[in-house]
Amino acid sequence: MGMLAFLLYGHIQWFLGLLLFLVHNISGASSASNYLIGLGSYDITGPAADVNMMGYASLGQIASGVHFRLRARTFIVAEPQGNRLVFVNLDACMASQIVTIKVLERLKARYGDLYTAQNVAISGIHTHAGPGGYLQYVVYIITSLGFVRQSFDVIVDGIEKSIVQAHESLRPGSIFVNKGELLDAGVNRSPSAYLNNSAAERAKYKYDVDKDMTLLKFVDDKWGPVGSFNWFATHGTSMSNTNSLISGDNKGAAARFMEDCFEQKGLREGSDTLYFNKSEDDGVPQRVSTIVPNPNENRNELLRLASSFQPSEGKPATSILSFASRVRNALKQADRPQFVSAFCQSNCGDVSPNVLGAYCTDTGLPCDFDHSTCDGKNELCFGRGPGYPDEFESTRIIGERQFKKAVELFDKASEQLKGKVDYRHAYLDFSSLEVSLPKVGGGQEVVKTCPAAMGFSFAAGTTDGPGAFDFNQGDDKVRNCWYMFDPSLYNAPVEAPTLVIDSFSWVLLQGNAFWRVVRNLIKTPSQEQVKCQLPKPILLDTGETKKPYDWAPSILPVQILRIGQLVILSVPGEFTTMAGRRLRDAVKTVLTSKGSGKFDSNVHIVIAGLTNTYSQYVTTIEEYKVQRYEGASTLYGPHTLDAYIQEFKKLAAALISGQAVEPGPQPPDLLDKQISLLPPVVVDATPLGVNFGDVKTDIPSNSTFKKGQLVRVTFWSACPRNDLMTEGTFALVEILQNQNKWAPAYDDDDFSLRFKWSRPAKLSPESFATIEWRIPASAVSGVYRISHFGASKSLLGSISHFTGSSSAFVVA
């Protein structure tokens, strides 16, 4: 009986063990397949010549090459039999209403009502180094000579293609969330305005900017980790307003570093941990060693090989050769999904990546604290990045800091998102929105937002990019050029208005052709508008100016997206640090209120800034009173933030109750009204006997370069606007394999490679392409050459593609 009992006991234990194993695996499979997840990514790099860059509104900042490419990155999350949502992160300055409208039209044509304004969010990272002209409102396209169809088309196309990729890659998977502090990637650039918030409120927070990064880790049931998206607040202004190379700035760089890190080094065997070589001098993932082995030949043999490859004459090429030559085509693994990593923007309104502080260029001393001026002049006050005076190095450092934090959060992400996928969206007329506020003695009072208007300090710019003329931040004197029309509108005395009027008139008269078209169409603000915007002194009454078409938006989208315990607040502007905190706290109070039963205190709330359209800044009312740049750029008056909080609380309440919300008035589609004054490319030419793609200035023969040195080659070229080389490259570094085959190693989507385009004279049909390669510390020793791809335009309008290559050289 003892033996029988033992055997029975053994069988029972085995059966229970099997049962527990099955239960664990069934629940694990269910847990691993909470959602369907899909990711996508597509090139949105716009015209790399002649087009003004979006962000600084600097007339002289005209694109003339590529630092690295811009992309649209998308994730889709769907319940297997229920709701779904789309989030698109753009390497662009901001979202655009007309871009959003046209993307939604395309999605409707392709998918019906599956993807709509309700469940699609399109957000910008706020790089100030991307081509402009893709927004529909006048004030945002003045410096780009109006609307630029090429900028617009490539962004709309890229968003659509990235969403299609994500849709077609939907598979069962899970999502993990993690959050951590990143202390050295942002500082407050308007601390005097922040200090105007109450001491009690400021005491609740350790820092005067948000330091938290929130990251999502996407894990495919079959393939494991396939991507990550994170939100962190810091401006895309590591690149200055004198830069002319297209760049994703620090967030675009961080995304490139993380995607390359994954694709080249992947996951540790048997784990889902991402890693990179922290011992590398440049801190950036190695780009070449997985493409070719480290050659064993000695230096003399390498030089002999290199000397046998002279520069190739420029020759015709197919339109797909540039695409076929891309490095990341060679890196892609056909049997697994592409890894997609996005570094999204948050409430960055007063957060600068220039973490060393703001200094005067003439004295080297810190700028004036209250007004960011140097002896009264704002033009001399500039923020310094960590790589000062090298803006490319500052971009790399701030990008690398975000990248490393993202890797850390990615590796340690363990909290799984569970629960519903849901969303709420509404359009609101912010030009006259009623807002109910508590009164000091009890009860409620109703105030209103105002039609959009920009104050004097808007023209002063910021320490990231100072403006010109006699404008200062913190200018709250109620005076402006409208005095010349109706001085009775103002109670304040006129203080030396002549200089202000003359400066503004000088902008209009000496500015570009687009200014001259609209200079006489500016509307005098009404007395009601002046009072509504107080204490902002109005410089441009954009909301009441409708000729030749709307200068600024009135209808704005507000949107909440939910994935389990994660809530994304899609806002169409740049919230300051404290404004963002108030919004998040207000929404969290609604979501976690007693009796709602929908969320616990562990809800993660992130702000996705610059989403779906753009309407400049949102400050607290206390910051608005100071009228620094951010306050002067808060378009809808002192109660703008209160209006957002009121409306987002309504969306949050509807999300909990399951109730629908009114869609609101539709924003206008102004595409057919757009004015474009950018001259087309007429013709490209080379001197007699010279081909497009010929080398103009070659590498010296028998050259050997060391890691960290710069290699430079110049080619006879043509205007990059003839072909954007979408998903291709203008520039390529190739490495010699097996003594006779060239393999792609670096291209114009790499941080180490720069494509610079120029003309010998402004109206010349001739042009040059200079390609510079700063050899990374991680580059493999071997024989290299540099190649250029381009497209020329004939007088008859036909486009012909070409390519050319330099002499070979040795990297030791």
Side-chain angles (χ1 to χ4, degrees), residues 313-322 684-686 691-695 715-720 722-723 725 729-730 755 757 767-769 787-793 799-805:
E313 291 185 354
K315 58 186 179 182
T318 64
S319 60
I320 64 169
L321 183 59
S322 168
D684 295 289
T686 57
N691 298 321
F692 290 108
D694 280 357
V695 174
F715 297 86
W716 289 97
S717 191
C719 185
N722 296 325
D723 189 331
M725 301 295 172
T729 182
F730 289 106
F755 165 70
W757 180 83
S767 63
F768 316 125
S787 296
H788 170 47
F789 302 93
S792 63
K793 185 176 183 180
I799 303 295
S800 301
H801 291 80
F802 60 85
T803 186
S805 300

Side-chain angles (χ1 to χ4, degrees), residues 366-637:
C367 305
D368 169 76
F369 181 79
D370 289 324
H371 303 287
S372 298
T373 56
C374 302
D375 194 24
K377 298 180 179 179
N378 74 292
E379 301 98 311
L380 301 177
C381 178
F382 283 87
R384 294 180 179 178
Y388 175 82
D390 186 341
E391 62 189 306
F392 293 93
E393 182 65 3
S394 292
T395 300
R396 183 192 67 79
I397 293 171
I398 297 297
E400 182 184 300
R401 288 173 181 175
Q402 292 177 77
F403 155 61
K404 288 183 176 180
K405 175 55 66 172
V407 169
E408 176 190 325
L409 296 176
F410 185 94
D411 285 352
K412 297 177 181 178
S414 59
E415 180 186 342
Q416 189 171 350
L417 294 184
K418 298 179 181 179
K420 295 176 62 176
V421 172
D422 209 349
Y423 43 82
R424 292 295 184 274
H425 175 284
Y427 287 113
L428 301 164
D429 185 351
F430 263 73
S431 69
S432 58
L433 190 62
E434 291 190 348
V435 184
S436 181
L437 297 177
K439 296 174 69 173
V440 175
Q444 298 283 315
E445 65 173 333
V446 176
V447 297
K448 294 181 71 173
T449 56
C450 322
M454 301 193 303
F456 264 67
S457 296
F458 159 79
T462 72
T463 56
D464 291 335
F469 318 115
D470 187 37
F471 297 102
N472 293 329
Q473 292 199 70
D475 186 352
D476 59 356
K477 296 175 183 177
V478 184
R479 56 162 172 79
N480 57 40
C481 52
W482 309 119
Y483 269 121
M484 64 189 294
F485 300 109
D486 188 359
S488 67
L489 289 175
Y490 302 90
N491 296 321
V494 180
E495 298 181 15
T498 305
L499 178 60
V500 176
I501 294 169
D502 288 348
S503 296
F504 186 60
S505 299
W506 192 93
V507 176
L508 295 180
L509 294 173
Q510 301 298 325
N512 60 54
F514 194 79
W515 265 119
R516 291 196 291 271
V517 168
V518 301
R519 65 184 173 184
N520 296 321
L521 303 176
I522 300 172
K523 181 185 183 297
T524 307
S526 65
Q527 186 171 1
E528 182 182 3
Q529 169 74 327
V530 171
K531 290 180 179 179
C532 186
Q533 290 282 349
L534 286 174
K536 178 198 293 177
I538 298 172
L539 175 65
L540 292 174
D541 187 24
T542 53
E544 296 186 314
T545 305
K546 305 295 182 181
K547 296 179 181 180
Y549 44 89
D550 293 5
W551 275 49
S554 295
I555 310 301
L556 300 181
V558 290
Q559 181 185 51
I560 286 185
L561 306 176
R562 177 192 178 180
I563 310 169
Q565 65 269 34
L566 174 80
V567 173
I568 302 171
L569 310 181
S570 301
V571 300
E574 304 174 59
F575 278 55
T576 61
T577 298
M578 194 63 85
R581 289 168 175 171
R582 290 185 189 177
L583 178 63
R584 287 197 304 263
D585 287 348
V587 171
K588 184 173 183 178
T589 298
V590 174
L591 295 179
T592 59
S593 60
K594 185 176 180 181
S596 71
K598 301 295 182 179
F599 292 88
D600 59 28
S601 60
N602 192 40
V603 61
H604 300 275
I605 301 177
V606 297
I607 290 175
L610 308 114
T611 301
N612 293 327
T613 190
Y614 183 63
S615 60
Q616 292 174 251
Y617 285 74
V618 180
T619 65
T620 67
I621 192 169
E622 294 86 354
E623 293 164 347
Y624 185 88
K625 291 175 181 177
V626 177
Q627 280 297 295
R628 281 181 63 93
Y629 175 83
E630 295 82 12
S633 304
T634 296
L635 296 185
Y636 307 100

Side-chain angles (χ1 to χ4, degrees), residues 209-251:
V209 297
D210 285 340
K211 300 288 188 179
D212 283 339
M213 175 184 285
T214 300
L215 178 138
L216 297 183
K217 176 178 181 178
F218 295 91
V219 181
D220 185 286
D221 278 4
K222 178 180 179 181
W223 299 110
V226 290
S228 69
F229 277 58
N230 71 72
W231 289 264
F232 177 77
T234 194
H235 249 76
T237 49
S238 292
M239 303 296 289
S240 73
N241 61 6
T242 61
N243 164 63
S244 64
L245 302 185
I246 291 173
S247 173
D249 209 277
N250 55 71
K251 286 188 176 290

Side-chain angles (χ1 to χ4, degrees), residues 142-468:
I142 288 172
T143 57
S144 61
L145 297 177
F147 190 71
V148 180
R149 186 75 196 213
Q150 201 172 29
S151 293
F152 169 80
D153 283 342
V154 72
I155 293 175
V156 173
D157 290 345
I159 295 171
E160 180 190 21
K161 288 182 170 64
S162 72
I163 292 174
V164 170
Q165 285 180 12
H167 176 85
E168 293 181 349
S169 66
L170 281 167
R171 288 177 43 83
S174 55
I175 308 169
F176 297 85
V177 63
N178 200 4
K179 182 169 72 173
E181 283 189 345
L182 174 57
L183 299 179
D184 54 359
V187 296
N188 198 306
R189 69 184 187 187
S190 288
S192 60
Y194 180 86
L195 288 174
N196 209 44
N197 296 304
S198 73
E201 183 176 31
R202 288 185 280 112
K204 292 161 50 179
Y205 304 98
K206 188 175 181 180
Y207 307 105
D208 62 359
V209 297
D210 285 340
K211 300 288 188 179
D212 283 339
M213 175 184 285
T214 300
L215 178 138
L216 297 183
K217 176 178 181 178
F218 295 91
V219 181
D220 185 286
D221 278 4
K222 178 180 179 181
W223 299 110
V226 290
S228 69
F229 277 58
N230 71 72
W231 289 264
F232 177 77
T234 194
H235 249 76
T237 49
S238 292
M239 303 296 289
S240 73
N241 61 6
T242 61
N243 164 63
S244 64
L245 302 185
I246 291 173
S247 173
D249 209 277
N250 55 71
K251 286 188 176 290
R256 171 53 54 236
F257 297 161
M258 191 153 182
E259 289 176 347
D260 285 350
C261 175
F262 188 95
E263 295 294 348
Q264 293 174 54
K265 298 187 175 182
L267 302 174
R268 290 191 181 100
E269 185 175 354
S271 78
D272 63 353
T273 304
L274 187 62
Y275 71 101
F276 62 97
N277 186 350
K278 295 182 175 65
S279 66
E280 290 177 0
D281 293 340
D282 57 9
V284 177
Q286 192 169 333
R287 289 288 299 109
V288 183
S289 63
T290 56
I291 303 174
V292 293
N294 199 346
N296 296 319
E297 295 90 347
N298 59 38
R299 181 182 172 188
N300 290 335
E301 178 62 15
L302 292 176
L303 283 170
R304 183 193 66 77
L305 277 172
S307 65
S308 64
F309 292 95
Q310 298 303 308
S312 65
E313 291 185 354
K315 58 186 179 182
T318 64
S319 60
I320 64 169
L321 183 59
S322 168
F323 169 80
S325 301
R326 282 187 70 233
V327 170
R328 285 159 188 81
N329 286 340
L331 289 175
K332 279 184 180 179
Q333 301 178 34
D335 62 341
R336 65 163 295 129
Q338 174 187 7
F339 188 86
V340 178
S341 182
F343 286 69
C344 311
Q345 195 53 270
S346 191
N347 53 317
C348 68
D350 53 359
V351 188
S352 170
N354 297 309
V355 294
L356 299 186
Y359 292 86
C360 299
T361 56
D362 55 346
T363 65
L365 298 174
C367 305
D368 169 76
F369 181 79
D370 289 324
H371 303 287
S372 298
T373 56
C374 302
D375 194 24
K377 298 180 179 179
N378 74 292
E379 301 98 311
L380 301 177
C381 178
F382 283 87
R384 294 180 179 178
Y388 175 82
D390 186 341
E391 62 189 306
F392 293 93
E393 182 65 3
S394 292
T395 300
R396 183 192 67 79
I397 293 171
I398 297 297
E400 182 184 300
R401 288 173 181 175
Q402 292 177 77
F403 155 61
K404 288 183 176 180
K405 175 55 66 172
V407 169
E408 176 190 325
L409 296 176
F410 185 94
D411 285 352
K412 297 177 181 178
S414 59
E415 180 186 342
Q416 189 171 350
L417 294 184
K418 298 179 181 179
K420 295 176 62 176
V421 172
D422 209 349
Y423 43 82
R424 292 295 184 274
H425 175 284
Y427 287 113
L428 301 164
D429 185 351
F430 263 73
S431 69
S432 58
L433 190 62
E434 291 190 348
V435 184
S436 181
L437 297 177
K439 296 174 69 173
V440 175
Q444 298 283 315
E445 65 173 333
V446 176
V447 297
K448 294 181 71 173
T449 56
C450 322
M454 301 193 303
F456 264 67
S457 296
F458 159 79
T462 72
T463 56
D464 291 335

